[in-house]
Amino acid sequence: MAKDRERSIDRASLVMLKKADEENWETAWDRFEKMQPQCKFGIEGVCCRICSMGPCRIIPGRTDHGICGANVDTIAARNLVRMIAGGAAAHSDHGRDVAHALLLAAQDESSDYEIKDPVKLREVANVYGIGLNGASDREIAVALAKRALANFGQQEGELELAHRAPKRRVERWQELGIMPRGIDREIVEIMHRTHMGVDTDYRNIMKQGLRCALSDGWGGSMIATELQDILFGTPTPIRATCNLGTLEKDQVNIVVHGHEPVLSEMVVVAAQDPELLQLADKVGAKGINIAGMCCTANEILMRHGVPVAGNFLQQELAMMTGAVDLMMVDVQCIMPALSDLSQRFHTKLVSTSPKAKFPGVEHVEFSEEHALDIAKQLLRMGVENFANRDKAPFIPQETMDLIGGFTAESVFDFLGGTYRATYRPLNDAIIDGRLRGAAGIVGCNNPKITHDFGHVEMAKELIKNDVLVVAGGCSAIADAKAGLMRPEVAFELAGKGLQEICEAVGIPPVLHLGSCVDNSRILMTLAHVVNEGGLGEDISDLPVAGAAPEWMSEKAVSIGFYFVASGVFTTLGMPLPVLGSENLTRLVTEELEGTVGGKFAFEPDPVKAAHLMIDHIDKKRAALKLKEVMYA
Ligand code: NFS
Ligand code: SF4
C-alpha cells in the first residue's frame, strides 16, 4: 500500500484512501506502486513496436537504430504524434457525435432535444458561410450539422473554424503548411506517416503532429463545444458544490461519468420525472441525486449546476463510499478497474456507448432517438438498486462551493458590463498592469504527482502574482475542490490587482471554463483578446501561458500541442516521452517557438512552473512595451 508518500492533497480523497487501506481495497495509487520501476524506454519514448521486426529499443552506444534503421529521433517523434492522433481522435469523435445529435434534433420534430441557443446557432452558421436569410432555426441547424459533419471527412480546403483565429495566426499556419484540412484526414495521415518505413524526418513528422492537433482544437473540440452550446444551451455563471460529500446519504445517488453530454443532459431532465421520484420515495429514498465525474461532470455542472463528485483519480473512491447506486459511463477516462471494483459494492455499473464496453458490466445502449426513455430506464435501475445499499455508507463529508459556467462569451458579459459586451475592460486591465496576464491550466490527474497538488499550487501561485487563471477538465475540478472558484477567495489569495478586478465584477480569481473539449473556449477567448486590440496582433504576442501540471492522457498531449501551435508557452508537470531524443526534445522545448511562437517546458514543481509562466508573461509584456505591473 502506498502509505509512505503523499497521495493527494484533497481531504475527501485522503479520508477515502485511508478507508481503502484499512479494507484492503486496491486503487490506482496501489497499482502505480506495484508498477515501479516503470520502463525507462517507454518514459523516454525510445521503444518502437510499429512493426513485427521489433520491438526495438534504443540503447545509446549499443543499439542506436532499430532493425529497420530508424534512429531515436524518428522513433520518438512517431510515438509522440501517435499520441496526438489518439487524443485528437477522442475529442473529435465526440464532436462528431454532437454534430450527429444536432442533425437528428433539427430534422426530427419529436426529438427529445431542442435548439437551446439560437443566437450561437446563427453565429456559428455564419462562420461556415451558411445563408441565414429567412431560414428557420431548424433549417440552419440542419445545414450547420451537415457542414460540421463534412469537416471530419473533408479532403481539401481548410477548416472553417480555424479561420476564427487572428489573421496573423492563420497566415502563419498557412506559411508553415500546417493549416488543418479535414479532421479525420489529419489523424489518418499521422497513422500513415508513422507506419513502418514512411516518414523518417522527425521535423516533418512533428509538422503533421501540429496540423493534427490544430484540427482538434480549432476543429473537433470546437465543434463539440459550439454545437453542444447550441443544443444544450451556452452556459452562464452558476453556483454549485463539489467533492465526494455531494453524494447524499439518504438519496439515490447516480454518478454520471465520462465525456459526452448527449446522455447526461437527458439524465438531468429525467431526474425530475414524477414517476421516478415517486418510485424513489417508495424505496425509502429522499430523492434522486445526480453527481458528475470527470468531464461529463463539467458539462452538466456548467449548464445545470449539478454537483461534481470528483475528478479522474476519484472515480474509484466514489464507488468505495458504498453510496453510489448506479454509475453510468460512456467514453474516455473510465478506469477498467471500475468493473472489478463494482463487484465488491452494490453499485450498478452500466456502460452506455457501443464504443466502450466492459466485460461483465451491464450495457444499456444509448441512442439519440430514444434519449429520454433510456435516461429514465437507467435512473430506474439506480432507484431500484437503492434497497441493496449498505445501511451505513462511508461518505467523506467534504464539500466545497464554486461558481462554474464561464465561457468566451460570458467573459464578455462579466468584464464588459451589461450594456456593452466587450473584451475592452479585460484588455485594459492587462495593458494598465492591474492584471499581469492570464493563464490556462488544464488536464488530468496522474498518480505520478500528488493528486490535485500540481493544479492547485500552480493556480495559487499565479493568482498571487495577478495572473487571472482559467481552468478546464480535471484541473478545474481540482481548483473548485480547493475553494479557488469562490469570488471571496480573491481577498485571501489573489494579488491586489486581480483582487480589484474580482471585486469589481464579482468573479472568482480562477474561472471554470468547462470540460476538456471546452479548452477550445480558451482558444476563442485568446482570439477575442487579440481582436479587441492593444495587445499585439497574434496569440503569441499575448502575456498568457498554459499548463497541464498532472497530465496523463493522449487528449492532453493533443491539447498541449494545439496550444503550442496556437502560440502559447505551455508547461507540463511531466515531460513528454521525448527525452531519449535530444533533437526532438530541443524541437518541442526550444525551436518550435521560432516557427509557431509557442513551446513546451517540463517542470514537475508547480510553483517553479508557475514562475516560468510568469517570466514568460513578463517577457511578452516587455515586448509589447506595457506599463509595469501595478502591484508587483
Ligand atoms: Ni481531459 Fe476529461 Fe480528466 Fe484528463 Fe480525462 S476526464 S477530457 S483527459 S483525466 S482532464
Ligand atoms: Fe523496429 Fe523499425 Fe519495426 Fe520500429 S519500425 S519496430 S524501429 S524495425
Side-chain angles (χ1 to χ4, degrees):
M1 290 285 163
K3 289 187 191 102
D4 49 344
R5 62 187 197 99
E6 202 58 63
R7 287 175 286 185
S8 178
I9 58 162
D10 172 52
R11 262 182 301 168
S13 299
L14 287 171
V15 170
M16 273 323 296
L17 282 167
K18 185 157 169 280
K19 171 83 171 163
D21 287 349
E22 286 162 13
E23 303 284 346
N24 233 343
W25 298 330
E26 193 185 69
T27 64
W29 285 273
D30 303 314
R31 294 187 295 273
F32 174 74
E33 291 297 319
K34 281 194 203 162
M35 201 57 70
Q36 301 310 311
Q38 283 170 289
C39 172
K40 194 161 165 276
F41 298 114
I43 291 172
E44 297 193 337
V46 300
C47 165
C48 184
R49 292 189 296 101
I50 280 174
C51 89
S52 149
M53 292 189 278
C56 301
R57 66 240 180 294
I58 301 300
I59 304 170
R62 200 174 114 205
T63 54
D64 291 322
H65 296 86
I67 294 165
C68 67
N71 69 14
V72 73
D73 303 330
T74 307
I75 289 176
R78 286 194 304 213
N79 289 339
L80 183 61
V81 296
R82 282 190 169 208
M83 293 185 86
I84 297 176
H91 282 150
S92 299
D93 213 28
H94 169 172
R96 184 197 328 265
D97 283 350
V98 179
H100 181 66
L102 179 64
L103 182 63
L104 286 180
Q107 282 175 334
D108 173 9
E109 300 260 347
S110 64
S111 168
D112 293 331
Y113 304 102
E114 51 189 312
I115 291 155
K116 292 257 178 66
D117 190 344
V119 175
K120 189 166 240 191
L121 169 69
R122 279 155 203 273
E123 183 197 317
V124 180
N126 200 29
V127 178
Y128 277 90
I130 294 168
L132 304 175
N133 277 349
S136 71
D137 286 357
R138 275 181 190 280
E139 285 161 351
I140 297 172
V142 169
L144 174 60
K146 285 186 175 166
R147 290 290 291 277
L149 283 169
N151 274 171
F152 293 90
Q154 191 167 301
Q155 300 305 313
E156 298 298 334
E158 297 172 341
L159 291 180
E160 288 88 345
L161 293 179
H163 282 275
R164 295 168 113 188
K167 193 165 155 284
R168 273 288 162 84
R169 182 60 21 195
V170 173
E171 285 165 5
R172 205 193 277 227
W173 289 336
Q174 287 166 336
E175 278 160 28
L176 292 167
I178 57 171
M179 191 69 184
R181 300 159 297 181
I183 299 160
D184 293 355
R185 176 170 184 186
E186 305 307 355
I187 295 165
V188 168
E189 192 166 319
I190 283 188
M191 298 315 284
H192 176 196
R193 287 199 200 195
T194 57
H195 182 277
M196 187 269 146
V198 186
D199 204 352
T200 303
D201 177 351
Y202 72 98
R203 292 177 187 278
N204 204 43
I205 294 169
M206 289 314 300
K207 201 171 123 182
Q208 178 57 18
L210 295 174
R211 177 154 57 180
C212 181
L214 288 173
S215 82
D216 174 358
W218 298 89
S221 281
M222 198 172 277
I223 289 174
T225 294
E226 299 296 48
L227 271 50
Q228 279 171 187
D229 282 355
I230 291 168
L231 198 50
F232 308 133
T234 301
T236 51
I238 189 165
R239 278 184 189 283
T241 54
C242 63
N243 218 340
L244 294 171
T246 61
L247 296 171
E248 296 286 351
K249 187 164 85 323
D250 40 21
Q251 295 189 34
V252 177
N253 290 308
I254 308 280
V255 171
V256 286
H257 176 17
H259 282 77
E260 298 184 349
V262 279
L263 171 59
S264 52
E265 276 291 318
M266 280 299 142
V267 169
V268 174
V269 175
Q272 312 294 324
D273 184 70
E275 226 174 277
L276 284 168
L277 288 170
Q278 236 172 39
L279 184 67
D281 189 55
K282 222 172 89 190
V283 299
K286 293 218 170 100
I288 301 174
N289 179 43
I290 310 288
M293 182 62 68
C294 287
C295 277
T296 278
N298 290 324
E299 300 280 2
I300 49 181
L301 160 76
M302 304 239 323
R303 297 198 178 84
H304 304 284
V306 168
V308 177
N311 54 4
F312 176 69
L313 275 176
Q314 288 177 288
Q315 53 188 292
E316 293 176 287
L317 307 182
M319 201 178 269
M320 287 172 181
T321 62
V324 178
D325 301 298
L326 182 130
M327 184 184 277
M328 66 179 87
V329 300
D330 54 22
V331 290
Q332 300 171 22
C333 303
I334 299 145
M335 285 193 197
L338 288 178
S339 88
D340 278 351
L341 190 65
S342 69
Q343 304 299 318
R344 284 177 172 261
F345 296 89
H346 87 296
T347 304
K348 208 170 231 329
L349 180 65
V350 187
S351 56
T352 57
S353 166
K355 293 172 197 166
K357 295 190 180 181
F358 303 77
V361 168
E362 192 164 345
H363 186 74
V364 175
E365 193 144 312
F366 176 69
S367 81
E368 286 94 343
E369 289 88 342
H370 309 287
L372 188 58
D373 285 343
I374 294 165
K376 284 186 192 166
Q377 182 191 344
L378 286 162
L379 286 189
R380 180 178 294 272
M381 288 164 71
V383 173
E384 284 167 354
N385 196 30
F386 179 79
N388 300 324
R389 190 199 281 185
D390 188 330
K391 292 303 161 247
F394 185 85
I395 307 175
Q397 284 314 298
E398 274 75 14
T399 64
M400 183 54 81
D401 296 331
L402 71 132
I403 296 184
F406 292 92
T407 61
E409 293 80 17
S410 64
V411 175
F412 260 104
D413 294 348
F414 259 73
L415 294 173
T418 335
Y419 302 110
R420 205 175 136 250
T422 164
Y423 270 70
R424 197 70 250 156
L426 175 60
N427 283 36
D428 285 346
I430 295 174
I431 290 167
D432 69 21
R434 206 169 298 269
L435 276 185
R436 186 186 296 264
I441 313 179
V442 304
C444 324
N445 296 138
N446 184 325
K448 287 181 177 171
I449 290 184
T450 302
H451 172 228
D452 289 354
F453 175 77
H455 298 300
V456 172
E457 291 308 307
M458 175 179 282
K460 285 205 275 203
E461 190 64 20
L462 288 168
I463 62 175
K464 190 171 103 189
N465 285 282
D466 290 320
V467 176
L468 177 70
V469 171
V470 298
C474 288
S475 183
I477 300 176
D479 293 341
K481 289 185 293 170
L484 301 182
M485 291 180 172
R486 298 167 303 152
E488 60 270 28
V489 85
F491 302 104
E492 248 172 81
L493 298 176
K496 194 155 183 288
L498 178 54
Q499 239 175 60
E500 287 175 5
I501 302 278
C502 291
E503 189 180 12
V505 288
I507 54 170
V510 180
L511 302 178
H512 193 311
L513 248 75
S515 65
C516 285
V517 290
D518 290 343
N519 288 332
S520 64
R521 297 190 198 277
I522 302 180
L523 297 179
M524 281 312 299
T525 305
L526 296 173
H528 290 316
V529 170
V530 172
N531 295 338
E532 184 65 46
L535 287 169
E537 292 185 356
D538 194 350
I539 294 172
S540 53
D541 296 332
L542 299 175
V544 300
E550 303 179 27
W551 76 276
M552 63 88 197
S553 82
E554 291 172 327
K555 289 179 285 176
V557 179
S558 180
I559 293 166
F561 271 98
Y562 73 61
F563 272 109
V564 165
S566 299
V568 180
F569 169 68
T570 302
T571 68
L572 300 179
M574 247 142 337
L576 292 165
V578 296
L579 296 183
S581 159
E582 271 176 43
N583 283 331
L584 183 58
T585 304
R586 195 177 320 110
L587 178 67
V588 299
T589 60
E590 293 173 33
E591 293 167 9
L592 276 183
E593 191 167 36
T595 54
V596 292
K599 65 175 181 183
F600 288 106
F602 309 143
E603 175 53 65
D605 179 329
V607 174
K608 280 192 193 149
H611 281 280
L612 293 177
M613 296 159 80
I614 290 167
D615 291 348
H616 174 82
I617 287 171
D618 287 345
K619 198 176 83 192
K620 292 293 173 185
R621 292 189 64 88
L624 288 166
K625 303 197 167 53
L626 301 181
K627 284 183 209 145
E628 290 288 302
V629 176
M630 218 174 256
Y631 304 103

